[in-house]
Amino acid sequence: MTNAQPADALFETLAREFSLTKESLAPIVNGFVNEYKHGLRTPSKGLATMIPSFVTKLPLGTEQGSFLSLDLGGTNLRISAVELKGNGAVEVLEVKRCPDMTLKTGSGARFFDWIAEAVQELITVKARHLFSDAQVQGRETLSLGVCWSFPIDQTNVDRGTILRMGKGFTLQDTEGKDLADMFHQAFERKDLNVRVTAILNDTVGTLVAHAYCNPDVRIGLIYATGINSAYPEKIEHIEKLDGSLRCNYPPGTEMLINTEIDIFGDESYLPLTKYDRALDANHNQPKFQIYEKMVSGAYLGELVRLIALDFIEAGALFDGVVPEGFSEAWSFPTAFMSILESQTHDRSVEVLSKFTFANTPTLQDIAILTRICSLVATRSAYLASVAIASSIIQQNLTDSSDTPIVVGITGSTYEFYPHMEVRLRRALQDWFGPEVAGRIKLELARDGGAVGGALIAMLCT
């Protein structure tokens, strides 16, 4: 039988390591604000943050028409035909694909050919009725907005150099090449008359797409398998842009910035535990995206598994016997955490049935594992709040006493993980206090990549 006393002592230690207060958040928030300022003046070469999007206008919600978009995230590829209907309404038809590890780590040309095949299927089959015969047959060029959830050094709204990708992607012969060229070469190999007219990070896409629903939005946040944010910055503050380019814009013009906040932070101020360090050491890209590994859905389940192994070793969980399959890295995904925290007994038992136990897990075992999930997920929410808080500070949005601070958020970790929105709001209230926190409106932003890409393709055509 699982011993409760070791569990109590372990939870006391775990709570000290994983619980965050305003005082412990302060060095992280301040560190992020400093990284904003550093990134705005540091050229976007190599491992870059604060990347200018060259997007200087947002939709009004009244735009209409049909446009192509492509959204590549850490998990899925979506090729979409988006019909903008005005009044913030849209209709989306899409082809969806999931790249396997062979594609993620193989030839860049093969990967872009794979994308081109999905574009071809959308145009010629899935959404053929939305296009003219001339467009389907390639006699008329189709414009494509690309939402790219990986770092690029963007040199114009439709041009950008591919940087180190992250999220498990290690494509060969792509880093340093122009993203639009890689697409166009693949389209030519497939006899597709499609041109990239806009490139935007998926978080910029989230911000643009939510602006179509609520023009007051000031922050776009993706909180899913990864985390990232975007916001509008005054061009005069973007020192990394050449002075002659900045002078081309009217005073006060704002440009959307892709923060690449997933690569913010380092060991000097992030509150890393031994579990964070163990996860990072066993990752295929150690010392990279350390903050993201503490907060995003791709990693939370593995943190829980590593913690649970210590509880098992201490005899505080599963009678001290590691279930068969549980010792394998990444065998406990974040989706399992979500089911446990939903506190549906039958589904919790179903999750644990994926492993083979020496003795049937007890209700106490399930409660202990669920409590571990809660501590890890709550820390995630508090760390995610830093992405919002630092952007609010950077924009001086707390100066006004009554203007709403609108944040458009998308992503499975925020949308589907139990209690995550409540925890995120609590973290913001702990940091800002009730008055400012009461002005922060967390609004669900849907189809950020698909709709945002189509909107920017329209605005830039």
Side-chain angles (χ1 to χ4, degrees):
M1 181 177 179
T2 294
N3 192 329
Q5 289 182 335
D8 291 340
L10 289 167
F11 273 123
E12 185 176 339
T13 301
L14 198 63
R16 282 198 305 269
E17 294 178 337
F18 276 77
S19 298
L20 295 172
T21 64
K22 182 173 182 177
E23 289 71 28
S24 55
L25 285 175
I28 313 173
V29 173
N30 294 335
F32 275 30
V33 171
N34 288 335
E35 293 208 38
Y36 278 61
K37 300 184 188 311
H38 175 75
L40 286 172
R41 62 176 181 265
T42 304
S44 298
K45 304 293 183 184
L47 197 58
T49 63
M50 305 302 287
I51 300 173
S53 70
F54 295 87
V55 177
T56 58
K57 53 185 175 181
L58 290 170
L60 303 174
T62 58
E63 295 83 357
Q64 296 183 5
S66 295
F67 304 90
L68 275 178
S69 68
L70 182 153
D71 177 20
L72 180 67
T75 306
N76 298 316
L77 167 72
R78 290 190 304 159
I79 315 292
S80 304
V82 180
E83 183 181 2
L84 306 173
K85 297 185 172 184
N87 297 318
V90 299
E91 181 177 349
V92 180
L93 291 174
E94 66 180 36
V95 170
K96 189 174 182 178
R97 297 283 186 271
C98 297
D100 58 22
M101 192 55 64
T102 302
L103 281 167
K104 287 183 174 182
T105 59
S107 158
R110 175 68 192 96
F111 182 75
F112 282 90
D113 282 348
W114 175 76
I115 293 176
E117 289 164 5
V119 173
Q120 189 173 45
E121 179 181 338
L122 179 71
I123 295 170
T124 60
V125 181
K126 187 73 177 284
R128 192 186 193 287
H129 61 285
L130 294 181
F131 306 110
S132 68
D133 288 342
Q135 290 172 323
V136 173
Q137 295 166 11
R139 299 193 308 273
E140 183 179 327
T141 302
L142 281 167
S143 296
L144 173 69
V146 175
C147 284
W148 189 256
S149 65
F150 306 93
I152 61 170
D153 177 13
Q154 195 148 359
T155 53
N156 208 328
V157 74
D158 62 347
R159 290 283 165 179
T161 303
I162 300 172
L163 305 177
R164 184 179 178 185
M165 292 178 67
K167 300 180 184 177
F169 281 81
T170 55
L171 294 177
Q172 301 163 20
D173 302 319
T174 57
E175 191 169 338
K177 294 187 177 180
D178 186 87
L179 179 61
D181 286 344
M182 295 292 288
F183 274 114
H184 294 155
Q185 290 162 12
F187 293 151
E188 288 173 10
R189 289 192 291 268
K190 299 297 178 183
D191 294 322
L192 290 171
N193 189 0
V194 177
R195 300 295 296 178
V196 174
T197 59
I199 297 170
L200 63 156
N201 171 269
D202 58 345
T203 319
V204 172
T206 295
L207 179 55
V208 171
H210 199 62
Y212 192 64
C213 302
N214 185 345
D216 292 331
V217 66
R218 294 298 300 181
I219 300 169
L221 180 72
I222 290 181
Y223 187 10
T225 54
I227 188 165
N228 198 10
S229 64
Y231 75 101
E233 180 62 81
K234 288 182 172 55
I235 285 181
E236 54 262 36
H237 295 163
I238 311 174
E239 297 178 32
K240 62 170 47 177
L241 289 179
D242 188 84
S244 61
L245 179 60
R246 296 201 304 270
C247 291
N248 291 334
Y249 295 95
T253 299
E254 293 181 322
M255 180 181 289
L256 303 188
I257 294 290
N258 161 28
T259 65
E260 289 296 342
I261 210 164
D262 55 308
I263 55 177
F264 277 29
D266 58 42
E267 297 181 54
S268 69
Y269 65 81
L270 288 175
L272 294 167
T273 67
K274 71 172 185 176
Y275 305 107
D276 298 303
R277 296 181 192 278
L279 184 153
D280 180 63
N282 291 304
H283 193 268
N284 64 356
Q285 293 181 298
K287 304 295 184 181
F288 182 56
Q289 296 176 310
I290 296 175
Y291 167 67
E292 181 168 274
K293 289 170 183 169
M294 301 172 74
V295 68
S296 76
Y299 304 104
L300 300 181
E302 178 64 3
L303 288 170
V304 167
R305 190 189 69 86
L306 293 170
I307 295 166
L309 287 173
D310 272 3
F311 275 65
I312 295 170
E313 184 179 351
L317 184 63
F318 304 142
D319 293 330
V321 181
V322 178
E324 185 178 334
F326 197 79
S327 59
E328 297 174 10
W330 311 102
S331 61
F332 191 86
T334 303
F336 287 6
M337 295 173 59
S338 181
I339 291 170
L340 286 167
E341 281 226 69
S342 68
Q343 296 189 330
T344 305
H345 177 71
D346 289 346
R347 295 197 69 201
S348 297
V349 170
E350 182 182 349
V351 160
L352 294 181
S353 72
K354 308 297 182 184
F355 308 99
T356 302
F357 291 85
N359 298 300
T360 302
T362 64
L363 289 176
Q364 184 182 12
D365 287 325
I366 293 174
I368 287 172
L369 191 58
T370 302
R371 187 176 171 188
I372 295 171
C373 294
S374 176
L375 283 167
V376 171
T378 299
R379 187 189 71 159
S380 169
Y382 271 70
L383 289 171
S385 77
V386 174
I388 297 173
S390 57
S391 183
I392 289 173
I393 293 168
Q394 176 67 17
Q395 297 180 72
N396 296 315
L397 298 180
T398 60
D399 292 350
S400 172
S401 60
D402 54 3
T403 304
I405 302 170
V406 180
V407 184
I409 310 181
T410 189
S412 54
T413 304
Y414 174 76
E415 187 174 355
F416 300 119
Y417 195 99
H419 322 302
M420 196 59 83
E421 178 183 356
V422 172
R423 290 165 175 166
L424 187 55
R425 290 185 185 277
R426 186 190 311 142
L428 290 168
Q429 180 161 318
D430 285 355
W431 178 258
F432 285 112
E435 184 176 344
V436 172
R439 291 169 45 209
I440 301 172
K441 309 300 180 187
L442 305 181
E443 298 181 351
L444 192 62
R446 298 187 185 276
D447 288 320
V451 177
L455 283 163
I456 297 299
M458 175 206 65
L459 292 171
C460 298
T461 298

